[in-house]
Amino acid sequence: MKTPWLSLTLLIATSTVARADLTLVQDTLLNGVRSRTTMWVKGDKMRTDNDTTSTVILDAATGDMTTLVHEQKMIIVNNTKQLAELAAQAAGAKPVELSETKLTATGQIEKVDGYDCEIVLSENQGMVVKMWIAKDDPNGDLLREELKGLSKLAAPGAAKTPEVPGIALKTEYEQQGLKFTTQLVSIHSGPVSASQFEIPSGYKAP
């Protein structure tokens, strides 16, 4: 299930290049069970940890996406660029028109962690995500510019995302009949060690 990718992607606006390393932490609530996702970004590389169960490392330059399943010490490698090419071939080599996300401002204001947030609805292919967008975060302008650089790390074929007017502190959506609530715990810029993107010893392909 691609829940962490979806909810973290909702923090991202579009175009430009990240100028600093980033670390993001968010909690997801599903049926009363809370889990934590941490993302590290350094240059063209992004690592996402889902609690302690799995890790996904993406290299935007090469398209390599490596999944680490920690309990089994298993490694699964895919290439997003190759997968996109195969999808294009299956479609008859015709250009694939990417779906576009529609944003609707509701005009409603609610507080999240002490910040005034405007509720914005994001809709793509029938899926609606409710977002609480903070516009008065004192670090918002800086972080928003850096987050825009994450758009280049999205897998080919990802939905076109319009620029979000702020930082999404909270989201709610349903997927496969399940309701997810996510909330941003922390986000900051600062040095991220290159070792975060190395494959641990002892991990093997199935």
Side-chain angles (χ1 to χ4, degrees):
M1 187 174 293
K2 51 187 177 182
T3 302
W5 290 91
L6 171 62
S7 50
L8 285 171
T9 299
L10 292 172
L11 297 171
I12 300 170
T14 55
S15 69
T16 202
V17 177
R19 301 182 183 277
D21 297 354
L22 289 176
T23 302
L24 301 91
V25 180
Q26 83 167 16
D27 284 342
T28 299
L29 188 65
L30 170 62
N31 293 341
V33 178
R34 189 177 300 275
S35 61
R36 177 156 292 188
T37 299
T38 304
M39 175 194 288
W40 295 269
V41 178
K42 186 179 186 68
D44 289 331
K45 295 183 179 181
M46 177 171 66
R47 168 178 171 156
T48 304
D49 281 16
N50 301 323
D51 276 338
T52 59
T53 59
S54 64
T55 294
V56 176
I57 299 173
L58 176 64
D59 187 326
T62 64
D64 288 338
M65 183 171 66
T66 303
T67 302
L68 306 176
V69 184
H70 298 303
E71 186 175 353
Q72 290 84 15
K73 287 193 173 183
M74 182 170 60
I75 178 173
I76 303 171
V77 180
N78 290 298
N79 187 283
T80 58
K81 295 181 180 180
Q82 292 177 357
L83 292 175
E85 291 175 359
L86 291 174
Q89 293 174 6
K94 296 180 180 179
V96 178
E97 184 176 349
L98 301 182
S99 59
E100 188 165 357
T101 301
K102 177 184 176 182
L103 294 181
T104 303
T106 66
Q108 296 176 297
I109 303 295
E110 292 184 5
K111 283 191 179 292
V112 176
D113 287 340
Y115 293 104
D116 288 329
C117 295
E118 180 178 5
I119 297 178
V120 176
L121 301 180
S122 170
E123 183 174 0
N124 187 283
Q125 295 183 331
M127 181 175 181
V128 179
V129 180
K130 186 177 182 180
M131 300 186 293
W132 282 256
I133 305 296
K135 298 182 179 181
D136 57 350
D137 187 323
N139 298 315
D141 291 340
L142 171 63
L143 293 173
R144 190 157 53 247
E145 288 304 309
E146 293 175 350
L147 283 168
K148 288 180 182 180
L150 295 182
S151 61
K152 68 176 182 174
L153 296 178
K160 298 178 182 178
T161 306
E163 184 170 346
V164 177
I167 302 296
L169 298 187
K170 180 181 175 181
T171 68
E172 285 185 356
Y173 57 93
E174 291 189 8
Q175 189 177 42
Q176 299 177 348
L178 300 174
K179 184 176 181 179
F180 295 85
T181 301
T182 71
Q183 188 155 343
L184 184 65
V185 175
S186 65
I187 176 172
H188 67 269
S189 59
V192 172
S193 174
S195 63
Q196 290 278 26
F197 308 95
E198 297 176 357
I199 308 302
S201 60
Y203 281 65
K204 298 180 180 179

